[in-house]
Each structure stands twice: as C-alpha cells, then as structure tokens.
Amino acid sequence: MGGVGKLLCLVVPNAWIGDLEIDAEVEALTAAAYVLWLVIVKSGSEFLTITRSPRSAPMESALAGALRVRCLTGAKAALGDVPASIVSCAGATVMAALDTACPSMDSLKEKRVLVVGIGMLGLLAVEAALRAGAAVTATDPNSHRRRYAAQLGACISGFSDFDPALDIVENFDVALEFSSSPQGVITCLKPLDINGVAVLAGSVADSPAIDLDPEWIVRGWRTVTGVHNYEPHHLEQAVDLLAGSRIDWQSVTDGPITLSQVPEAFHRSAGEGMRRVVDLSES
C-alpha cells in the first residue's frame, strides 16, 4: 500500500449534503491521498468529519458521496499507512485525554504518569507522555503489550495486572485509563496522589459501578474526569506525534491479510499485534 498524501479536515453541515462548492485544495486530491475523518460537534449546525479517500481509480469528483463543504486545515506531515489509519481515532483521543490532564504538554515534564491499558490508545499515550518528559508507568494484563510500552521507555514493573486488591505503593500525578475494564478504572484511581488528575477514556460501554470515596477526592484535591472524542487541534497534535513516532508498527500489528480473509480472521485468535492490517490492494 502506498504512502500518505495530505491530511485534510472538512467542515460540513449537520445534514446530508448534495452538490456543494469545494475548496480548490480538496479538488486537487488524488486517489492516492489519505483524507481522515474526524467526527466531532463544532458549533450550532456544523460538525467536523474526515475520511480516507478512494485508493483505486481517480475520483470523478472531489470526495464523491462524502459530506463536505470546505477545507479547514492544509497539508500536514506524511504518515505511513498504519499511523494514518489510527490518527483520527486513537491518536486524537489520546491528545484530548492529555490535554484534559494538563494545561499543556510542557507541563507534563517530570510528572509521574500512569497509563492503564496498553492498547493502541494506551501505547500512544505512553509515547506522548514520554516525549513530553514525564516519568511513565504502564500496566496491562497482556505481556506483549507491556513489552511494547517498555520498548518505548515506560516502567512496567510492579503491577502488570488489573488487580484492585494489589497494593500499589507508588503515587501518580496523572493517571490515564484506556482499559475498558472496571478493574482498570480502580487501578487508575487507587494510586492517584494529592492534587492528582485521573482521566477515564476507555470506559465507553456499560460496566459495573465502582465505589468512589468523596472524602478521598475532597481532602486530596483530586480530579476525576472523562474524555470522549476530541477537538480539531487534538487531531493536529496527533499527526505531529505519529509523524515522529518510535513505535514499530510491524511488530504491533498482525497481517496484512486480504479482504477475502477478513471473515476467517474473526474466528481465529489474534497474534501478538494490537490490530490486524487488511491490504485492499491484494483483494
């Protein structure tokens, strides 16, 4: 599969749009370019959305069939296929979570950061926090994923499982939860230090309730908040992060497989990778 052309962000009305005037830069897109869809409410009757453009024959009209009005951002750094596929979901969400935890990435320097859940979001959070100068500890029950975080420079010793009964002696200034697990949430909250901030971003489905002591929050000046989706500037930050990423994408993904192999892939266990790459050019 080819490389990435441009990253564009399109502003569209909150309705299905037919023929509209398209920005000249959008008209100039080629079939080999990536256009990544960002879904977020912007204001009033508008929302943002970005998607990947067709990769086969040249487009008869710019982004035919897509919701679009005008280009919001111009050309950005080139990304590989795998990072381009996750920048607008995993990447931007991670940057929104970090933005919620600290007023700026610079303010993460020398902060003690805990990342709970080392999926694609957690691994990107590890890299972003390390790049900002934080001391990062990461935890996940999966040994392969702990290894990926360790390769980036995170500490993983001491608590590799989501165990609420585990006695975690270290305290953290920032705790980020990407586990989608009630036990992971407890693991995220329990070691939060005085004046610490916990950001929950993985709990996006029904799950059992957990106990939370109000006095522990009040007397400790602690903050517990949640993040879902992101703002346009988080997408730009994610592009910058992924453009300089040290993650070995070949080792953290399985495949590639062809489109015809996708049904079979749902019935067999995954390998060590976090995601399985589907190569449409081989279908």
Side-chain angles (χ1 to χ4, degrees), residues 89-153:
C89 52
T93 300
V94 164
M95 301 316 295
L98 289 168
D99 190 24
T100 302
C102 289
S104 70
M105 292 300 291
D106 289 341
S107 63
L108 273 174
K109 187 174 182 180
E110 298 183 355
K111 287 285 196 298
R112 299 162 298 169
V113 175
L114 172 65
V115 177
V116 180
I118 317 173
M120 198 63 77
L121 281 82
L123 191 62
L124 291 175
V126 166
E127 182 167 41
L130 285 169
R131 187 180 297 184
V136 180
T137 299
T139 175
D140 192 287
N142 186 302
S143 61
H144 300 305
R145 297 182 176 193
R146 296 198 303 272
R147 186 179 73 244
Y148 298 146
Q151 288 171 348
L152 292 175

Side-chain angles (χ1 to χ4, degrees), residues 81-232:
D81 285 330
V82 174
S85 72
I86 64 170
V87 67
S88 63
C89 52
T93 300
V94 164
M95 301 316 295
L98 289 168
D99 190 24
T100 302
C102 289
S104 70
M105 292 300 291
D106 289 341
S107 63
L108 273 174
K109 187 174 182 180
E110 298 183 355
K111 287 285 196 298
R112 299 162 298 169
V113 175
L114 172 65
V115 177
V116 180
I118 317 173
M120 198 63 77
L121 281 82
L123 191 62
L124 291 175
V126 166
E127 182 167 41
L130 285 169
R131 187 180 297 184
V136 180
T137 299
T139 175
D140 192 287
N142 186 302
S143 61
H144 300 305
R145 297 182 176 193
R146 296 198 303 272
R147 186 179 73 244
Y148 298 146
Q151 288 171 348
L152 292 175
C155 174
I156 60 167
S157 60
F159 46 104
S160 58
D161 296 323
F162 298 150
D163 185 357
L166 191 63
D167 185 18
I168 302 175
V169 296
E170 185 176 0
N171 292 324
F172 295 92
D173 306 301
V174 174
L176 307 170
E177 181 273 322
F178 301 105
S179 68
S180 302
S181 161
Q183 291 78 17
V185 173
I186 296 173
T187 300
C188 174
L189 296 177
K190 188 175 179 180
L192 197 62
D193 205 354
I194 293 173
N195 205 36
V197 179
V199 181
L200 311 182
S203 302
V204 292
D206 290 340
S207 61
I210 64 171
D211 292 329
L212 191 60
D213 182 1
E215 183 181 8
W216 175 80
I217 294 176
V218 172
R219 291 189 181 277
W221 289 66
R222 296 176 176 91
T223 300
V224 180
T225 187
V227 164
H228 187 58
N229 287 332
Y230 38 85
E231 298 179 15

Side-chain angles (χ1 to χ4, degrees), residues 240-260:
D240 293 338
L241 171 67
L242 285 160
S245 176
R246 296 191 297 113
I247 296 172
D248 181 354
W249 298 109
Q250 287 189 332
S251 68
V252 303
T253 56
D254 292 329
I257 61 174
T258 65
L259 188 60
S260 63

